[in-house]
Amino acid sequence: QGQLVQSGAEVKKPGASVKVSCKASGYTFTRNGISWVRQAPGQGLEWMGWISTYNGNTNYAQKLQGRVTMTTDTFTTTAYMELRSLRSDDTAVYYCAGGANWSPFDYWGQGTLVTVSS
Amino acid sequence: EIVMTQSPATLSVSPGERATLSCRASQSVSSNLAWYQQKPGQAPRLLIYGASTRATGIPARFSGSGSGTEFTLTISSLQSEDFAVYYCQQYNNWPRGTFGQGTKLEIK
């Protein structure tokens, strides 16, 4: 069973960027892709995008196109999510999640709180 | 984009009773539907995939049904630890996996 450990909480000013990391272990990193999901305070889950850990292909939610970049480092088995031009409504807990292709997410990171405030 | 709609938003049920949660897709997702449970301060946990298959370690009181656009999660006899928020997710459009807005299951 895969395990994902994320980086710690961040506080950013509007207009800044944030980069969240997600360290994978317990499975072959390049076999399953990594998705990112966020959850604003008191709200539901929002799928942000996916990256193939095999070849780096990405698929982003349309509303985040142009502001989000997902990358991976196969040597350190770590995935990254960078979000730019932060706004107050980007304040959320950001999760990385994984599972087999064409399957739901059967393992999740613990979440990273990103607070955007002036 | 496939839109997932859950109902009701909040469900009040007494311990020991049955809870039935609904999820509707804006277009057919076949059986590519998952259910997750989320407790405060925790990441979601996969309960059901393939619309009706329990994930590893999930108790038999959780069951899923449906296909196409209409899905149901049933918890047969509610335990105290089952009170949480439940989300459905379609993955028919993988890797794009849209979620419903959630149903909060609270103690009556």
Side-chain angles (χ1 to χ4, degrees):
Chain A
Q1 178 74 339
Q3 290 189 318
L4 302 174
V5 177
Q6 299 182 224
S7 50
E10 304 262 13
V11 179
K12 297 291 183 181
K13 294 192 182 302
S17 299
V18 68
K19 192 170 186 177
V20 179
S21 68
C22 171
K23 167 73 174 175
S25 62
Y27 70 101
T28 302
F29 183 67
T30 53
R31 188 180 67 208
N32 298 338
I34 294 286
S35 291
W36 290 87
V37 175
R38 70 179 179 178
Q39 186 170 38
Q43 302 302 308
L45 303 170
E46 178 186 12
W47 180 83
M48 299 177 64
W50 169 89
I51 182 166
S52 166
T53 53
Y54 176 73
N55 60 16
N57 287 348
T58 55
N59 191 311
Y60 299 140
Q62 188 169 2
K63 70 177 287 187
L64 296 173
Q65 285 275 2
R67 285 209 300 140
V68 68
T69 301
M70 297 175 186
T71 57
T72 63
D73 181 337
T74 56
F75 293 103
T76 61
T77 65
T78 302
Y80 298 91
M81 186 284 300
E82 181 180 34
L83 189 61
R84 300 176 293 278
S85 302
L86 289 167
R87 309 186 291 247
S88 58
D89 62 356
D90 292 317
T91 294
V93 175
Y94 289 75
Y95 294 101
C96 57
N101 290 349
W102 296 98
S103 297
F105 309 141
D106 55 0
Y107 45 94
W108 294 69
Q110 81 277 20
T112 296
L113 175 62
V114 175
T115 302
V116 183
S117 173
S118 55
Chain B
E1 178 182 318
I2 300 174
V3 177
M4 307 301 293
T5 303
Q6 293 185 239
S7 61
T10 304
L11 183 62
S12 299
V13 183
S14 299
E17 294 189 340
R18 173 188 297 253
T20 302
L21 290 66
S22 297
C23 175
R24 174 177 293 178
S26 61
Q27 63 189 76
S28 176
V29 298
S30 186
S31 295
N32 297 310
L33 191 285
W35 290 94
Y36 298 86
Q37 176 193 69
Q38 187 180 34
K39 296 180 179 179
Q42 296 183 15
R45 177 175 71 145
L46 179 66
L47 297 176
I48 300 284
Y49 64 93
S52 61
T53 302
R54 282 189 302 277
T56 303
I58 301 304
R61 64 180 182 273
F62 291 90
S63 63
S65 63
S67 66
T69 61
E70 300 283 343
F71 301 90
T72 300
L73 174 68
T74 302
I75 311 171
S76 60
S77 177
L78 281 164
Q79 308 296 302
S80 57
E81 63 267 28
D82 299 335
F83 293 95
V85 180
Y86 292 82
Y87 294 94
C88 62
Q89 180 203 28
Q90 69 78 24
Y91 52 97
N92 192 61
N93 201 20
W94 187 89
R96 308 176 79 83
T98 47
F99 294 91
Q101 80 279 19
T103 290
K104 181 179 181 180
L105 181 57
E106 63 177 26
I107 301 174
K108 187 174 183 179

